[in-house]
Amino acid sequence: NSTAVALQETHISRDTVRLHARWQIADDESAVINYMWAVGSIAGGEQYQKFTSTGQLPFGDSGPLYVSHGSSLVVTVLAWNGAGQERLVSSVSHIVDHTPPVLDTVRDGRADVDWQTGLEIGVFMPGLLDAESGIAQCTWRVASKPTGGDEVLPSLVIAPAVESRRNLSSSTITHGQRVFSRVCCTNQAGLQACSVSDGVTMLTSAPTLDSIIVNIRAADQSVYDADRNVVSQTNGLYAFWLGTEWPQYVSHYEIRISGASKWTRVGSANGAVVRGLQLADSDYQFELRFQDLAGQLSPAVLTNFTVDTSPPLLIPGLSN
């Protein structure tokens, strides 16, 4: 009355598999008294296993079957009821798979980022494929070493899709820690492929210049020392700074003089010469900020400085 044949492949070696087949064949009037099953390349075929009785058991396990990769397997079941009537049913064609899934690349998100600020990370697996038996499942582990050591998050079963995301809020991740995603995917034949990303550095703290010390001098050297943050020329200055808390995560610094220049990108060094200014003898504010490698801008710090081009006055009549 009802029929269904399902089979599962277990890979043994390069060209050998075992099959587990299970079927449902019911007879409400007179019970099924015997099953026989065979394995072939077509429905009703016996190319790999001759018809073999399982009695009244609705399943069977084959011995080793020598089948080349990509070949088709079909299970055929012959059932007899108490009245001596028989019925022949077959499974759908099953493609033999002797190779693991294709998992060549694991990226840290679709853009394969190297730095990020949030605690949600992603993996992207372009080309994930198993053309023969299909992907059964994938697992994703996050660790601070590419080998999987120093686990940050345990393995998680994820859908066999090319992209997935998970949250690190339950982990002990620290600012500046680099984490690696290791993904392993298993196909329906039980064969597994693994790959690991090149890692992403987590910048969990906002960039700051709270401890910075800025010094400003004239752009051109003088034989005389000048007071700190006093500039003796109107067309240029030299600024240098010390105390950036996380210098290894600086993408670049930006500077400007309040009311006198626009924000200018000056690289990642701890100093810059600015020329082409048109300053007057007056007091000014020098502004400094930086962008980290994840694209975050720090608040600007302000340093007061003075432009003074007037020479000292010589007062007549004074002597030693």
Side-chain angles (χ1 to χ4, degrees):
N1 291 334
S2 63
T3 63
V5 181
L7 62 152
Q8 181 179 354
E9 169 192 339
T10 301
H11 179 84
I12 300 176
S13 65
R14 182 177 179 181
D15 56 359
T16 308
V17 298
R18 292 182 187 269
L19 286 185
H20 173 76
R22 183 174 293 272
W23 49 86
Q24 293 179 348
I25 303 176
D27 192 302
D28 296 333
E29 291 77 24
S30 57
V32 175
I33 61 172
N34 188 39
Y35 296 107
M36 296 188 73
W37 73 299
V39 183
S41 57
I42 58 174
E46 299 179 273
Q47 289 84 358
Y48 302 109
Q49 177 185 291
K50 301 295 184 180
F51 276 101
T52 304
S53 175
T54 64
Q56 292 180 303
L57 296 177
F59 59 85
D61 292 287
S62 75
L65 303 178
Y66 300 96
V67 187
S68 60
H69 177 73
S71 298
S72 297
L73 291 183
V74 180
V75 169
T76 300
V77 179
L78 184 59
W80 283 272
N81 64 12
Q85 296 175 318
E86 64 181 45
R87 184 167 188 184
L88 193 72
V89 295
S90 297
S91 70
V92 297
S93 181
H94 173 83
I95 304 299
V96 174
D97 192 353
H98 289 313
T99 58
V102 177
L103 179 59
D104 295 332
T105 304
V106 172
R107 297 178 182 173
D108 296 294
R110 186 173 287 270
D112 198 19
V113 295
D114 291 320
W115 315 87
Q116 75 166 65
T117 59
L119 287 176
E120 185 178 76
I121 64 172
V123 286
F124 181 60
M125 298 159 284
L128 174 63
L129 177 69
D130 194 290
E132 293 80 19
S133 64
I135 306 293
Q137 74 169 28
C138 296
T139 58
W140 175 13
R141 186 183 187 196
V142 181
S144 58
K145 294 181 180 178
T147 56
D150 294 340
E151 185 177 87
V152 175
L153 286 177
S155 290
L156 174 72
V157 176
I158 58 175
V162 297
E163 189 171 15
S164 188
R165 303 193 67 81
R166 65 189 302 188
N167 197 287
L168 293 175
S169 57
S170 63
S171 69
T172 56
I173 197 79
T174 58
H175 180 71
Q177 184 173 351
R178 194 163 186 84
V179 297
F180 300 85
S181 290
R182 180 178 176 83
V183 177
C184 294
C185 293
T186 306
N187 63 16
Q188 299 291 349
L191 301 174
Q192 187 181 78
C194 298
S195 188
V196 63
S197 72
D198 61 1
V200 55
T201 299
M202 310 299 295
L203 301 184
T204 56
S205 300
T208 178
L209 289 172
D210 291 345
S211 303
I212 203 79
I213 298 174
V214 179
N215 294 275
I216 300 173
R217 297 286 186 267
D220 299 312
Q221 294 291 331
S222 170
V223 295
Y224 302 104
D225 290 334
D227 289 340
R228 180 172 176 266
N229 296 342
V230 176
V231 178
S232 59
Q233 64 185 106
T234 60
N235 62 350
L237 59 81
Y238 170 59
F240 60 98
W241 45 87
L242 299 171
T244 304
E245 186 174 2
W246 299 98
Q248 66 269 40
Y249 305 135
V250 172
S251 167
H252 64 270
Y253 291 96
E254 298 178 2
I255 62 174
R256 75 175 177 183
I257 299 170
S258 300
S261 67
K262 297 180 179 179
W263 283 110
T264 302
R265 180 170 173 168
V266 294
S268 58
N270 289 339
V273 174
V274 184
R275 297 190 183 277
L277 299 173
Q278 296 179 347
L279 304 178
D281 284 18
S282 184
D283 295 326
Y284 294 91
Q285 283 188 323
F286 177 87
E287 296 184 66
L288 172 70
R289 67 185 184 187
F290 78 91
Q291 180 176 300
D292 68 17
L293 292 166
Q296 301 180 107
L297 272 176
S298 73
V301 294
L302 279 65
T303 301
N304 295 319
F305 73 97
T306 299
V307 176
D308 183 3
T309 61
S310 301
L313 294 176
L314 180 64
I315 303 175
L318 292 180
S319 61
N320 291 333

